[in-house]
Amino acid sequence: MTELTGIFKQIEEHSYTPDNCFLCGCELSDDNRTIEHVIPKWLQRKFNLWDQKITLLNGTLLPYRNLTIPCCLNCNNRHLRPFENEVKKAFENGFEAMSELPDEILFYWLGKIYFGMMYRELFLDFDRSDPKKGTIVTPEYLDSFYSHFLFLQGIRGQIAFSNFFPASIYLFKTQKPKELESQWDFIDNQDALFISIRMGGIGIIALLQDCKSTKKIEHHLDVHKKIELHPLQFRELSAKILYKGILMNRTPKFINTQTGKGPVETHMLPLQGFSSKPIFDDWNDDDYSILMSHILRLPLDICQPKKGQTYTWLLKKNGEPLFIDIKDDLNLF
Ligand SMILES: [Zn+2]
């Protein structure tokens, strides 16, 4: 076994403690310690999220304001802030500006939020009345996201993607409910490295490690870009993209090489591999309906009125996009 050097060594030896930077792993002292908000402060202000609560993996609730992770001054100011500023500026300029952001910026921005959510859970007891049960997320579990964590080192300029891009990122226009708090929505899923955020008039959905596999079928989703989606429709679309991500039956494999002091070059091995089997399993309406009912927080018999027939709020019977005005009461919430 070759000895680990540089960034690989840093990642391999990363200590997951409250006294190490979540990104570069350096030890934190009074001089370099900062706090990174997983959901950026500007978004929390914008949508009044501070005291709202987010559901964690163990089903408990944590106020957004407490969703912070340890970070060093250098990573925070020099590396993370420029991404944050670019996304904030684009967001303030509206949907078009957001769509024009390079995929890489959105990937790092979403990737940090996704990873930060799990990272925070390293420091929370699974069962507060019984700390012996351990934390919600364990270092071993986080290690299974090795590639994603390695890719995030691109935030520090330590990674270059050579023949691929890790994520599929989708943007949709969404309608804005009257109350600020309802203009925000967040879903994540660990099975498919999936994240979905609705913020005001912009909805972003991403599969952070499908290596653009689902992006190839994006034309099927174009119809939903013609209208501004109702929050329920955006959730349905999130369920659809998440399910497609779960159906992917290949795990991308990467080869990482580093020459000299330059960034690590990451190459993806052919996804198809030696098998002629399609890379997505067949769509199963029953399974999808269960996932959709979970994501939409609606009873299964509403999402699937008849076996094999999944209901949709996205399309009219003739295949045209269905516009559901936010002002109409759907009687569903
Ligand atoms: Zn750092």
Side-chain angles (χ1 to χ4, degrees), residues 13-206:
E13 292 174 358
H14 190 119
S15 301
Y16 300 116
T17 81
D19 295 319
N20 291 87
C21 172
F22 86 96
L23 189 58
C24 74
C26 78
E27 269 183 45
L28 298 175
S29 65
D30 289 348
D31 297 332
N32 71 345
R33 181 189 294 274
T34 70
I35 273 174
E36 171 72 1
H37 283 265
V38 175
I39 305 295
K41 280 191 279 189
W42 62 271
L43 274 177
Q44 298 202 45
R45 267 193 293 271
K46 180 104 200 143
F47 299 114
N48 215 0
L49 296 176
W50 299 104
D51 295 319
Q52 284 199 64
K53 290 181 176 158
I54 189 154
T55 309
L56 302 174
L57 285 173
N58 68 342
T60 56
L61 299 167
L62 187 77
Y64 275 92
R65 72 182 128 80
N66 290 348
L67 204 54
T68 58
I69 46 178
C71 184
C72 77
L73 193 64
N74 191 39
C75 283
N76 209 333
N77 284 352
R78 205 169 128 220
H79 301 305
L80 290 161
R81 187 158 299 163
F83 284 100
E84 206 54 67
N85 288 345
E86 276 211 59
V87 175
K88 181 171 182 256
K89 200 170 114 202
F91 174 80
E92 276 160 3
N93 287 326
F95 184 84
E96 298 308 326
M98 203 73 176
S99 315
E100 281 163 17
L101 273 181
D103 267 0
E104 208 149 302
I105 290 186
L106 281 177
F107 171 72
Y108 289 133
W109 189 73
L110 293 165
K112 183 221 81 180
I113 296 177
Y114 177 83
F115 190 75
M117 288 290 299
M118 289 192 290
Y119 207 89
R120 179 68 181 94
E121 293 174 78
L122 275 172
F123 311 122
L124 297 170
D125 287 334
F126 186 85
D127 181 350
R128 258 186 272 177
S129 63
D130 186 2
K132 280 201 293 294
K133 286 188 182 156
T135 51
I136 304 177
V137 162
T138 61
E140 294 72 33
Y141 181 70
L142 213 57
D143 277 344
S144 65
F145 296 87
Y146 177 90
S147 293
H148 183 63
F149 186 45
L150 180 69
F151 296 163
L152 286 188
Q153 302 305 317
I155 295 173
R156 306 193 291 132
Q158 305 271 359
I159 274 278
F161 305 119
S162 68
N163 64 340
F164 77 105
F165 184 72
S168 293
I169 302 171
Y170 305 91
L171 273 88
F172 299 95
K173 288 186 192 142
T174 48
Q175 296 175 55
K176 290 187 201 171
K178 235 197 282 149
E179 308 76 36
L180 272 183
E181 293 86 349
S182 311
Q183 292 183 16
W184 168 263
D185 196 8
F186 180 89
I187 311 166
D188 63 352
N189 174 282
Q190 274 64 39
D191 299 324
L193 278 94
F194 170 90
I195 183 166
S196 160
I197 296 177
R198 179 171 56 81
M199 39 190 201
I202 299 168
I204 310 180
I205 302 173

Side-chain angles (χ1 to χ4, degrees), residues 189 192 194 207 237-246 291 295:
N189 174 282
F194 170 90
L207 289 159
L237 214 45
S238 297
K240 239 179 169 163
I241 293 172
L242 168 58
Y243 184 58
K244 191 72 190 173
I246 290 172
L291 179 77
I295 299 278

